Amino acid sequence: MKMLWNNFKVAFAMYSKIPMPAADWEKESMQYAMCFFPWVGLAVGLLEFVCWKILSTLEAGGLFRAAVMVLLPVLVTGGIHLDGYLDTMDALSSWREKERRLEILKDSHAGAFAVIMGGVWFTAALGAAGEISESVLPAFCSLFWISRCFSALSVLWFPNANPKGTAAAFGKQAQRKTVTAVIVVYLAAACVFLGWIHPVLLTAVAAAALVWLYYRRMSEKYFGGITGDLAGWFVSVCEAVGMIWLALCGLGMEKFV
């Protein structure tokens, strides 16, 4: 139990700003850390659900509610995934060779394209969050769990562009087969949950899977594999695409059901 508790603390200390007791950053403490990475998304999803309900009860305006829904995950995670998204967009927009793109990922300065694409991300997420209805709210909250499940699988099985990076470290230390089995169970549980609410919501998992497949192709083609920044890009894009898709699903369900 102590080992699992340490793995839990490592996952939350690394991927969230939720206060955690000091963790032992040893090899054993990283073997199952990816099992608990989706739990960060679960915490985010639960907070989103509670905030949405409270703001609805208070009859808050749609724009204010959408802003809270978009900013809450950034605050809980400390923006770690969004930081990776911005760095990746800078690197992709450079249209340079792989080695130079990897150097740009490590650059702490934000380029013009990072600022522009950050604005695009927030605008798209804000617009989509403003259209999230109660009928798709559980699926919306599940996005943060689903995106991290797929991200964990990529850390475990996708090739790494930087063998000494964070993503590679978690992937190498993990008990891959065991953690993979756990993540697959997590995704199956998400599918059962969404299908029980409404079959059309299962398409949110399909949308995440398509982004995941594109992530594999893009990372290998332009970077030679994944890095911690690219993993952040995936989580950010996966959630934004999921929000947009669920907003459209919600509008369709209200019109045709």
Side-chain angles (χ1 to χ4, degrees), residues 66-214:
V68 171
M69 301 286 276
V70 171
L71 292 177
L72 185 60
V74 179
L75 296 176
V76 173
T77 62
I80 185 172
H81 305 300
L82 198 57
D83 175 68
Y85 164 81
L86 297 176
D87 288 341
T88 301
M89 295 313 300
D90 250 350
L92 284 173
S93 300
S94 70
W95 293 105
R96 304 292 291 276
E97 64 279 0
K98 291 180 182 179
E99 291 74 17
R100 179 54 182 152
R101 292 192 191 106
L102 290 171
E103 289 177 6
I104 294 173
L105 287 180
K106 298 177 183 178
D107 193 340
S108 60
H109 298 89
F113 284 104
V115 176
I116 293 169
M117 297 310 295
V120 170
W121 188 91
F122 275 107
T123 301
L126 184 65
E131 297 295 338
I132 296 297
S133 60
E134 190 166 7
S135 60
V136 297
L137 178 62
F140 173 85
C141 296
S142 298
L143 285 176
F144 306 98
W145 168 271
I146 294 167
S147 65
R148 285 161 178 79
C149 284
F150 279 110
S151 183
L153 290 176
S154 70
V155 169
L156 293 170
W157 296 108
F158 286 8
N160 281 281
N162 181 10
K164 297 182 180 180
T166 304
F170 275 93
K172 288 178 181 177
Q173 302 297 343
Q175 294 289 333
R176 291 192 179 187
K177 291 183 179 180
T178 301
V179 177
T180 298
V182 171
I183 297 299
V184 170
V185 170
Y186 287 171
L187 285 172
C191 289
V192 171
F193 174 66
L194 295 179
W196 174 70
I197 296 172
H198 197 291
V200 74
L201 297 182
L202 285 171
T203 57
V205 181
L210 289 175
V211 176
W212 185 65
L213 292 173
Y214 173 76

